[in-house]
Amino acid sequence: MKKNSARVYELKEELRACRQRKGMTVDDYYNKLKTIWEDLATYQHKPNSCLCGGSNCEDVKTSRDEERLHQFLLGLDASIYTNVKNEILDMDPLPSLEQAYSMVAQEEDNRVSSNQELSGELVVDVISNVEEESVETADTNLGVTVKKDEDFGQWYSQTYFDAVLEKAEVDENYFPLFVSASVLEKEKDHVQGFAPEVAWVTKAGKSDLNIPIAIRPTSETVIYPYFSKWIKSHRDLPLKLNQWNNVVRWEFSKPTPFIRSREFLWQEGHTAHATEEEADKEVLEVLDHYRHLYEEYLAVPVVKGMKSENEKFAGARYTTSVEAFIPETGRGIQGATSHCLGTKFAKMFDIKFTNKEGKTELVWQNSWAYSTRTKAFVLAHMKVFNLFLKIGVMIMTHGDDKGLVNPPKVAPIQVIVIPVPFKDADTKEISKACCAVKDALREAGIRAKEDLSDNYSPKWKYSHWEMKGVPLRIEIGPRDLAKNQVRTVRRDNGVKADVPRGGLVEHVMELLGNIQQNMFDVAKQKRDDACVVVKTWDEFVEALGQKKLILAPWCDEEEVEMDVKRRTKDEVGAAKTLCSPFDQPEILEGTLCFASGKLAKKWTYWGKSY
Ligand code: 87F
């Protein structure tokens, strides 16, 4: 707990003045309040470190929550939200702050969609299947996402990453979903900050449980007691485990499918090593696998680097990450993390081994993860990011946006073959040719499919498969049949070509390779164009306002990062460090920190982030 009366006073003043100004979204207003509450909490007394809530701290928490709820409602734009505000205040018991926030956000969503419809802004989707996805809305509000299997279930990148794990001799495991309060509290120190996000099961049917049970937000506390049992000798090391699972974190901000959902899927790797060097080496190896996954498979450029002290996982010695940037929204997004935990958890969970000399030592641990957020990158890349940010509204803002563009390496369907029978054409022969082409492609390991359905026109099918993101379309019509050729149409750039049937398989393979490369090159160019190097505070603020990814010389001090957050939160939205890239440009002698004016220690990426 810090002590600083003047600062507390200042924050309370900010809180009092915090209002949802005209044009400000409910999300922005709520986040602004949250930042002030969080800031304030660092100066205020914390009741105790109980996680499940003893009676005293529960009382303090309840009155604090009610106060926050009132503050939130007080500052809402009264010309819009009076009805929903009254509805909330009439509820007995009062809803939680997050529930109230969801209700107001829902009201905002409803208004946005009806306004857009009224003003004719809503671009009616030409692709008919879109409505079926709007059923997500109800679940989305809960922060849990339902997706039709072909869009989501494949959890694409798992196939590639499974091979990586296999090669690195990481064993697959599965640990329980539930964690008891006493086990979770074992790592109280770092769970403390996350405590509000832990979801608890408190009832079975109608009976209250004697002891509430947490749903795993991450699995350290579930897995490490087993590490303690399983590791006795240096012969048991390294121990490397992975599990693909779901975790639950009760996010306060509005859930956004894939980006911020309360239940999400991830792989979490947990390893134990005999030496610090071995652990350090693995951290970077894993990080490079993540880079490879993003760049080579998802065609998304990322930066590998070190997280700041503020942004690292509190339980880690250090945290590394791969960071991507979404130029359309001007925000950075962490793609995956690889932590070196040192011997902190080994001490907490008593994970020791007898070394070759017969002496007892603590193990060195790492943990690493990437989640379904990866899918968001693919979506971002696919230009329909806005569609997913505005899930439920389901609009496409640009006329030429046709839906998804899957990178060939992870596309569930890589090639769609479509017959184009003109009037009086020999439909049977065309269909036969489509099947033969599909068979030849599949024979060569290409994920091809034909669409011979007779109740849709070729044009409908083009739109349908474009929306699904199939990277390459092959059309076969009577003219193609006569000339023993096919027409190829690329999804990434729309380029069409007539290709002879002989040698088609090789040609398609080459095309898929080109599409993959082109998607990466275009994304990288956009990312690079969005990046600026700044040296001064003014340049920094200007760049932030222009939604840039900012590389700046920094003194690497925690307080300065907090200060940057504070100073930027009002004008342009709080900026934070994304990472200090491992690939550091040279720091010339005497270079000063853009924010503090002290000597700069490293170049660091800054920006707004998800
Ligand atoms: C939310 C609630 C409780 C993140 C939480 O990154 C605990 C936590 O420990 C928590 N949110 N974290 C940090 C997770 C760290 C770590 N775990 C294993 C990883 C990689 C995989």
Side-chain angles (χ1 to χ4, degrees):
M1 185 184 59
K2 301 180 205 167
K3 260 199 152 175
N4 187 339
S5 272
R7 180 69 192 136
V8 171
Y9 183 83
E10 203 177 288
L11 285 168
K12 286 191 172 165
E13 199 148 47
E14 268 184 48
L15 205 52
R16 212 173 46 152
C18 186
R19 292 259 171 283
Q20 185 194 13
R21 279 177 267 117
K22 282 269 168 269
M24 195 178 196
T25 64
V26 174
D27 196 32
D28 285 347
Y29 163 61
Y30 182 61
N31 279 326
K32 201 171 159 200
L33 272 177
K34 242 180 63 183
T35 320
I36 307 175
W37 287 328
E38 276 163 16
D39 257 12
L40 207 49
T42 63
Y43 295 99
Q44 288 179 330
H45 176 65
K46 296 191 181 92
N48 61 32
S49 41
C50 171
L51 283 168
C52 63
S55 58
N56 268 346
C57 71
E58 198 49 41
D59 287 348
V60 174
K61 197 180 154 297
T62 311
S63 73
R64 191 206 57 195
D65 289 352
E66 196 174 315
E67 195 182 316
R68 287 184 176 182
L69 175 66
H70 286 159
Q71 275 162 356
F72 170 63
L73 295 177
L74 267 169
L76 281 171
D77 184 339
S79 65
I80 305 178
Y81 298 106
T82 303
N83 284 348
V84 66
K85 184 156 64 176
N86 291 339
E87 197 184 318
I88 292 167
L89 289 170
D90 277 348
M91 287 166 79
D92 187 22
L94 273 180
S96 68
L97 177 65
E98 305 91 78
Q99 284 164 334
Y101 163 73
S102 285
M103 288 172 71
V104 178
Q106 183 63 53
E107 174 67 22
E108 181 185 45
D109 273 358
N110 294 345
R111 281 177 52 84
V112 170
S113 45
S114 59
N115 280 351
Q116 278 163 337
E117 268 158 340
L118 286 174
S119 64
E121 265 176 46
L122 183 74
V123 181
V124 178
D125 214 308
V126 286
I127 303 138
S128 62
N129 295 33
V130 167
E131 307 102 63
E132 76 188 17
E133 303 198 13
S134 60
V135 293
E136 283 186 345
T137 317
D139 303 312
T140 305
N141 287 340
L142 244 190
V144 183
T145 320
V146 183
K147 286 292 286 170
K148 241 174 114 237
D149 56 352
E150 68 191 303
D151 288 332
F152 177 56
Q154 74 277 6
W155 196 173
Y156 298 140
S157 37
Q158 185 168 348
T159 322
Y160 158 74
F161 208 72
D162 271 340
V164 166
L165 296 172
E166 164 82 26
K167 199 161 168 222
E169 297 181 51
V170 179
D171 292 331
E172 276 307 317
N173 277 252
Y174 186 76
F175 292 86
L177 169 75
F178 296 122
V179 199
S180 71
S182 60
V183 173
L184 194 68
E185 284 196 0
K186 252 198 144 159
E187 50 158 1
K188 211 159 41 188
D189 280 356
H190 86 263
V191 173
Q192 188 71 50
F194 297 121
E197 289 180 14
V198 177
W200 294 88
V201 179
T202 55
K203 270 184 185 282
K206 288 196 169 154
S207 3
D208 289 333
L209 296 186
N210 286 340
I211 309 168
I213 297 168
I215 303 175
R216 65 178 164 220
T218 176
S219 303
E220 281 80 357
T221 51
V222 187
I223 297 177
Y224 296 166
Y226 290 94
F227 270 35
S228 173
K229 271 194 206 162
W230 295 339
I231 300 170
K232 296 290 171 215
S233 141
H234 62 90
R235 287 180 206 90
D236 301 322
L237 294 172
L239 179 63
K240 305 190 201 178
L241 301 183
N242 178 65
Q243 67 171 346
W244 295 92
N245 61 349
N246 56 347
V247 285
V248 170
R249 293 180 186 173
W250 216 256
E251 293 274 358
F252 286 79
S253 313
K254 190 178 171 192
T256 307
F258 302 115
I259 296 283
R260 206 194 293 131
S261 53
R262 289 186 179 145
E263 177 192 354
F264 62 87
L265 300 177
W266 71 352
Q267 63 65 220
E268 51 177 318
H270 294 266
T271 64
H273 306 262
T275 64
E276 178 179 359
E277 298 72 52
E278 199 182 302
D280 281 339
K281 187 164 163 265
E282 189 203 61
V283 169
L284 295 185
E285 281 168 2
V286 170
L287 195 70
D288 200 56
H289 292 314
Y290 289 140
R291 181 207 59 79
H292 191 91
L293 166 67
Y294 274 101
E295 298 203 329
E296 307 292 325
Y297 279 75
L298 305 175
V300 174
V302 290
V303 176
K304 290 195 291 184
M306 186 69 81
K307 284 294 207 189
S308 69
E309 277 302 300
N310 262 322
E311 292 296 327
K312 76 168 195 188
F313 166 38
R317 217 173 115 226
Y318 61 87
T319 294
T320 66
S321 69
V322 290
E323 302 282 334
F325 189 74
I326 316 288
E328 283 78 7
T329 58
R331 286 181 189 227
I333 181 164
Q334 179 179 291
T337 46
S338 178
H339 312 281
C340 178
L341 306 177
T343 55
K344 245 184 181 173
F345 284 89
K347 280 183 202 127
M348 266 187 276
F349 288 87
D350 194 32
I351 314 173
K352 293 185 185 134
F353 70 102
T354 318
N355 68 17
K356 285 181 187 150
E357 287 76 45
K359 284 203 182 117
T360 306
E361 281 188 57
L362 291 165
V363 296
W364 290 81
Q365 286 177 267
N366 294 336
S367 75
W368 24 274
Y370 80 94
S371 73
T372 30
R373 271 189 160 198
T374 49
K375 175 78 183 188
F377 289 92
V378 185
L379 295 173
H381 206 59
M382 291 161 180
K383 289 202 211 165
V384 286
F385 194 55
N386 276 341
L387 186 140
F388 281 86
L389 284 177
K390 296 173 183 161
I391 200 97
V393 181
M394 287 298 160
I395 54 163
M396 291 192 187
T397 42
H398 306 298
D400 59 348
D401 275 354
K402 293 173 178 169
L404 313 186
V405 187
N406 279 328
K409 277 196 192 170
V410 294
I413 301 171
Q414 296 171 307
V415 181
I416 184 73
V417 187
I418 297 178
V420 193
F422 292 116
K423 257 192 245 147
D424 308 326
D426 185 347
T427 345
K428 255 199 189 147
E429 277 310 302
I430 294 176
S431 296
K432 243 169 84 187
C434 286
C435 290
V437 164
K438 185 231 23 199
D439 287 344
L441 294 174
R442 287 185 80 89
E443 190 85 352
I446 297 168
R447 295 185 290 278
K449 185 179 163 73
E450 80 282 34
D451 183 352
L452 303 182
S453 51
D454 56 11
N455 49 340
Y456 292 112
S457 69
K459 271 207 171 141
W460 187 95
K461 293 179 189 175
Y462 299 164
S463 301
H464 176 76
W465 294 107
E466 274 171 356
M467 185 193 69
K468 297 269 177 214
V470 177
L472 190 69
R473 175 168 88 229
I474 290 183
E475 303 168 0
I476 305 180
R479 248 203 2 240
D480 302 304
L481 208 57
K483 291 189 176 171
N484 202 26
Q485 66 179 29
V486 302
R487 167 155 287 198
T488 57
V489 185
R490 284 173 64 152
R491 178 68 183 87
D492 61 330
N493 59 12
V495 169
K496 297 178 178 172
D498 291 327
V499 180
R501 289 270 296 271
L504 178 64
V505 170
E506 292 70 25
H507 188 84
V508 166
M509 280 182 173
E510 200 183 319
L511 266 178
L512 291 175
N514 291 346
I515 295 171
Q516 181 82 30
Q517 187 61 45
N518 185 50
M519 285 181 70
F520 177 77
D521 292 345
V522 169
K524 185 163 183 309
Q525 188 64 51
K526 274 168 82 183
R527 196 268 319 261
D528 292 348
D529 288 347
C531 182
V532 286
V533 175
V534 310
K535 301 263 178 62
T536 66
W537 178 255
D538 288 348
E539 287 171 4
F540 178 77
V541 175
E542 190 188 341
L544 205 58
Q546 295 165 347
K547 298 187 172 179
K548 297 287 187 189
L549 167 63
I550 303 168
L551 185 60
W554 180 41
C555 60
D556 195 13
E557 288 182 15
E558 274 182 75
E559 255 316 303
V560 174
E561 180 173 3
M562 295 290 282
D563 200 44
V564 171
K565 259 191 198 172
R566 275 195 288 268
R567 288 163 74 188
T568 49
K569 95 177 159 230
D570 276 339
E571 294 169 46
V572 271
K576 61 178 193 181
T577 58
L578 304 175
C579 73
S580 298
F582 288 132
D583 192 4
Q584 282 276 314
E586 195 190 347
I587 288 237
L588 298 174
E589 227 185 289
T591 304
L592 302 180
C593 168
F594 77 100
S596 68
K598 297 179 190 173
L599 268 189
K601 293 207 182 108
K602 49 170 75 153
W603 287 95
T604 300
Y605 281 107
W606 294 76
K608 284 184 269 182
S609 82
Y610 285 103

